[in-house]
Amino acid sequence: MTGFILRCCVLITLLQAGGICYQSVYAVMNTAMKDGEELTGVYLYRSGEKIDSAEGEPVLVYHEGIVFTMERGVATEYSFYLEGPDDDWTAWDVRNYKEYTNLDQGKYTFRYWYRGGGGGTAGEGSFSFRVKAPWYSSPLAWIIYPLLLVLAGMMMRIRTHRLFKERQKRLEELIAERTEELQHEKEKSDSLLANMLPKGTAEEIMSKGKAAKTKYNFVTVLFSDIQGFTRIAEEMNPEVLIDELDRFFFQFDSLAEKYRIEKIKTIGDAYMCAGGIPERNRTNPVEVVLAALEMQKYMQFMKDDPAKTAARFWDIRIGIHTGTVIAGVVGHKKITYDIWGDTVNTASRMESSGEPGKINISGTTYEFVKDYFICDYRGRMPVKYKGDLDMYFVKGIRPELREPDGSPNMKFFTKIEMIRILDAEEHVLTKYSEIASPDLFFHSVDYIRSVCLQADLLARAEKLDDQDYIYLRLASVFIFFGFAFDYNDPPTAARKRAGEILSVYGFGPQTLDAVTALMDSAFLPVQDSAAGMVLHDAVYDFTGRIDFVAMLDRLYREEIAYGKVNDPKAWFRNMAVKIEENQFLTETAKKLRSVTIQEQLNALQSFAGEKLNNT
């Protein structure tokens, strides 16, 4: 206390001597008192740890509290102020401690005043400390945040991509499901349309929306009618009547499919079909008569069956005529396939002019089927609006062409297949001329036609039997057909098309196998069958002709165009080997050779020299 009084005296003397302002005096006093002797301890609020004894500036954790304790003098009063949390100094109070809790980050300075009882500031002091930033506001955290943001963006992108993929997958599955349903519905509608219309006509409608009407010059039309149907309908239960009629027509539909006949329509008890449409063929009169005989046989079987009591009333009349028709689709919403022309009217008159249980054909149809069936001439019969026409009743297949049960035998089918060859050949040559590339200089439609003609000539000269002749002719038709579809693998393409076309024209799997075997071995120098020898000689016929060099030039240009000639010298050497190895095998071909092998080799050598020199 004595020291304090001495200081005050010194200050007063200075004031009197120099006129120092109050603020200066206060600063001097503050400096004199800034030893902090009144502050006895600084403690952490939660743990009570003393921190004012540590070296350096104390550092508190985020939201920590702090407690300041002062000396407890007699009647000493204190006023406190913490920069930041406090707005002003606290009122003077004898309480000798001050605490602060939940301090935010930053630097703090705790200030205090103290005085003895009675007033007047006796001294002051301060204590500085710092509160650390929370972990999420630390520099490391601010480094991590961008990384986390990038990572979150990547995760979001991955998740979005995954969700997109899942959504896309679900969408694809939904599309596939809907597509499958649509495809299924399309197949059902196509199948329904194909059952209503011929295949070619149905495809034309589906692709173009309509079908053009077509003229066919060689069609055989069949009409059938139930004898006395009106009387039967009056006496028979309607349900039984319809069931029986449906059974008959179902059988007729099966026969039409079997013999490649197109069902046109049914009108009440009348059934109408036609052969030779939409696929033109030369055998349709025979096939329609065959179908009529089986219809007749089926009706007779139903009449003789004691279990079919209702069928004994049924009897059928059939009329057949061959001629020209116009075929096409009529209607817009409910479309139907129909045929028109005088041939249709005449076939209907043949049916109405016939007799129950008999097949009545016109004189025109008779001319086409007389070699296959026994027919009874009825004479010239009057026909409404037509005058007198020749008519015949078909009694059955000729004895030499039928089995004991009356069905066609192998000779019958061989005879008819001889005609079907012409249909298949015409089909192939027409198709080949339409789709063949202009670069097929050698394997042109003319060359295929010449091979077919040569095969026919050699086969007849070598007296091949009928079955081998059929296989040979078909093989000669198809052997080069594959070049129009796949030049790199023509045999495979030819086999595929042969299977498709042969089935259309009524040839079975056995024929396809035999034809395929002939085509596969045709280029071998040794053959084990007469048909193989003939086909081999027909294929290599150009090597013995006087236009050999011209043919060779076409083959050379063709294979260059298709990239098959990598080494011209090797190509000509290979051709020379083929000519020497694949000599003619049949005596007829040897006799027909115009130029010897050696002469052709010389011509080949000269041609090769010319081509190689120009190259």
Side-chain angles (χ1 to χ4, degrees):
M1 180 62 73
T2 302
F4 177 74
I5 295 172
L6 289 174
R7 292 188 192 103
C8 290
C9 292
V10 172
L11 289 171
I12 293 169
T13 302
L14 290 172
L15 288 169
Q16 292 174 346
I20 304 173
C21 68
Y22 173 77
Q23 288 84 358
S24 299
V25 174
Y26 180 82
V28 172
M29 188 179 77
N30 186 38
T31 303
M33 295 298 182
K34 202 174 181 180
D35 53 8
E37 58 188 10
E38 292 297 325
L39 187 64
T40 61
V42 181
Y43 305 91
L44 295 177
Y45 182 81
R46 292 187 179 89
S47 65
E49 179 186 351
K50 186 175 176 60
I51 62 173
D52 57 333
S53 60
E55 294 183 3
E57 185 180 57
V59 180
L60 279 65
V61 298
Y62 181 67
H63 274 195
E64 179 60 277
I66 191 169
V67 179
F68 299 94
T69 61
M70 318 299 292
E71 290 182 356
R72 180 175 291 279
V74 179
T76 303
E77 295 178 335
Y78 297 93
S79 179
F80 306 110
Y81 175 73
L82 182 63
E83 295 177 356
D86 293 341
D87 296 330
D88 199 359
W89 288 82
T90 63
W92 290 98
D93 194 358
V94 294
R95 190 177 63 169
N96 67 332
Y97 66 91
K98 180 63 175 175
E99 70 277 357
Y100 295 92
T101 59
N102 294 328
L103 295 173
D104 289 331
Q105 70 180 71
K107 288 187 176 183
Y108 294 87
T109 299
F110 175 73
R111 299 184 185 278
Y112 58 91
W113 287 344
Y114 58 92
R115 70 183 179 183
T121 301
E124 67 176 6
S126 65
F127 182 84
S128 298
F129 63 94
R130 183 169 61 88
V131 177
K132 292 192 299 183
W135 62 268
Y136 51 80
S137 295
S138 64
L140 179 60
W142 287 107
I143 295 174
I144 293 175
Y145 286 153
L147 298 177
L148 291 176
L149 187 61
V150 172
L151 181 61
M154 293 176 61
M155 296 297 293
M156 183 64 71
R157 183 179 179 84
I158 292 173
R159 181 174 180 275
T160 304
H161 183 69
R162 179 174 59 81
L163 291 176
F164 174 76
K165 286 291 187 182
E166 291 177 355
R167 191 177 296 109
Q168 186 180 33
K169 182 179 179 181
R170 289 196 299 270
L171 184 60
E172 289 175 352
E173 290 174 351
L174 182 62
I175 292 174
E177 182 180 348
R178 294 291 185 270
T179 303
E180 185 178 357
E181 291 177 0
L182 289 174
Q183 182 64 29
H184 181 65
E185 293 299 323
K186 182 178 181 299
E187 290 174 357
K188 287 172 60 177
S189 62
D190 290 351
S191 177
L192 181 61
L193 192 61
N195 288 332
M196 294 172 58
L197 305 172
K199 181 179 179 181
T201 305
E203 292 175 352
E204 187 177 0
I205 289 178
M206 286 186 284
S207 61
K208 299 180 181 179
K210 61 179 181 179
K213 294 176 176 58
T214 306
K215 181 179 181 180
Y216 295 87
N217 293 321
F218 190 57
V219 175
T220 302
V221 180
L222 179 149
F223 267 95
S224 71
D225 182 71
I226 303 298
Q227 175 68 24
F229 179 77
T230 303
R231 180 180 58 84
I232 296 173
E234 293 174 353
E235 298 177 0
M236 186 176 291
N237 183 299
E239 293 182 0
V240 176
L241 174 70
I242 297 303
D243 288 343
E244 291 294 325
L245 196 60
D246 181 64
R247 184 180 296 108
F248 298 151
F249 286 166
F250 177 81
Q251 180 67 20
F252 294 171
D253 287 346
S254 300
L255 292 173
E257 183 178 1
K258 175 182 178 181
Y259 289 107
R260 302 179 298 123
I261 301 169
E262 188 65 32
K263 174 186 175 181
I264 304 302
K265 59 186 173 183
T266 59
I267 305 174
D269 62 321
Y271 186 91
M272 176 184 177
C273 60
I277 56 171
E279 292 290 342
R280 293 177 170 85
N281 61 72
R282 294 170 171 83
T283 58
N284 63 82
V286 178
E287 290 161 343
V288 170
V289 173
L290 278 175
L293 286 172
E294 291 205 32
M295 291 179 183
Q296 184 187 57
K297 183 177 180 181
Y298 175 76
M299 294 298 292
Q300 187 61 45
F301 170 77
M302 295 295 291
K303 288 182 64 175
D304 296 340
D305 187 354
K308 308 292 183 182
T309 55
R312 67 180 185 273
F313 299 109
W314 301 88
D315 218 337
I316 190 171
R317 289 185 316 218
I318 298 176
I320 299 173
H321 178 62
T322 303
T324 300
V325 302
I326 302 295
V329 174
V330 292
H332 296 283
K333 293 184 178 180
K334 294 183 179 181
I335 58 176
T336 57
Y337 186 77
D338 208 345
I339 56 177
W340 304 270
D342 185 65
T343 299
V344 178
N345 298 330
T346 303
S348 177
R349 299 291 182 266
M350 290 298 108
E351 178 271 317
S352 59
S353 300
E355 296 179 6
K358 294 185 178 182
I359 302 169
N360 189 37
I361 66 174
S362 67
T364 304
T365 303
Y366 169 77
E367 293 299 324
F368 296 112
V369 302
K370 61 184 180 181
D371 294 335
Y372 299 86
F373 303 99
I374 301 172
C375 301
D376 286 348
Y377 181 55
R378 300 180 62 193
R380 293 182 64 81
M381 307 291 292
V383 175
K384 187 177 181 180
Y385 304 128
K386 304 294 294 183
D388 293 339
L389 296 179
D390 290 327
M391 298 185 190
Y392 296 81
F393 280 141
V394 179
K395 308 299 290 184
I397 300 173
R398 289 189 171 278
E400 68 275 13
L401 301 178
R402 70 186 182 198
E403 299 288 352
D405 62 354
S407 61
N409 60 16
M410 186 59 65
K411 189 175 180 180
F412 183 99
F413 289 115
T414 300
K415 188 178 181 68
I416 200 171
E417 284 180 353
M418 288 286 194
I419 303 175
R420 289 174 179 170
I421 292 172
L422 302 176
D423 293 329
E425 181 178 351
E426 182 179 353
H427 181 111
V428 169
L429 294 178
T430 302
K431 187 70 174 178
Y432 197 87
S433 62
E434 292 174 354
I435 65 174
S437 169
D439 292 333
L440 291 173
F441 306 111
F442 180 81
H443 295 99
S444 63
V445 67
D446 291 332
Y447 176 68
I448 296 178
R449 187 178 287 108
S450 70
V451 171
C452 294
L453 292 174
Q454 188 68 10
D456 178 58
L457 173 64
L458 296 177
R460 295 182 185 279
E462 295 293 321
K463 294 182 171 52
L464 264 64
D465 62 52
D466 291 341
Q467 197 61 64
D468 286 343
Y469 175 83
I470 293 170
Y471 297 153
L472 167 69
R473 285 295 312 280
L474 292 173
S476 68
V477 169
F478 288 105
I479 190 167
F480 294 117
F481 192 39
F483 280 94
F485 301 93
D486 187 355
Y487 199 90
N488 294 319
D489 189 12
T492 301
R495 286 192 293 270
K496 179 181 178 181
R497 269 63 190 189
E500 296 171 354
I501 295 172
L502 289 177
S503 63
V504 169
Y505 289 101
F507 294 97
Q510 181 181 352
T511 300
L512 177 61
D513 292 341
V515 170
T516 300
L518 281 175
M519 291 192 297
D520 290 343
S521 63
F523 299 95
L524 299 178
V526 177
Q527 299 290 328
D528 57 2
S529 68
M533 294 169 63
V534 169
L535 183 60
H536 172 275
D537 289 353
V539 167
Y540 285 102
D541 174 64
F542 75 98
T543 63
R545 287 161 36 178
I546 57 175
D547 60 346
F548 168 71
V549 173
M551 296 292 292
L552 194 64
D553 179 58
R554 294 175 188 171
L555 181 59
Y556 182 68
R557 288 189 292 121
E558 177 181 300
E559 297 210 348
I560 287 178
Y562 282 93
K564 299 297 182 180
V565 182
N566 297 320
D567 183 355
K569 291 183 179 180
W571 189 89
F572 284 111
R573 284 197 300 268
N574 183 53
M575 184 58 60
V577 171
K578 284 186 177 180
I579 293 174
E580 286 185 312
E581 289 182 349
N582 292 281
Q583 299 182 25
F584 292 149
L585 304 178
T586 63
E587 294 299 322
T588 305
K590 293 176 182 178
K591 294 176 181 179
L592 293 176
R593 175 185 284 275
S594 303
V595 185
T596 64
I597 295 176
Q598 189 57 49
E599 289 175 327
Q600 298 292 40
L601 291 174
N602 293 338
L604 172 61
Q605 184 177 4
S606 176
F607 175 73
E610 178 184 345
K611 288 294 182 182
L612 295 175
N613 290 334
N614 292 337
T615 303

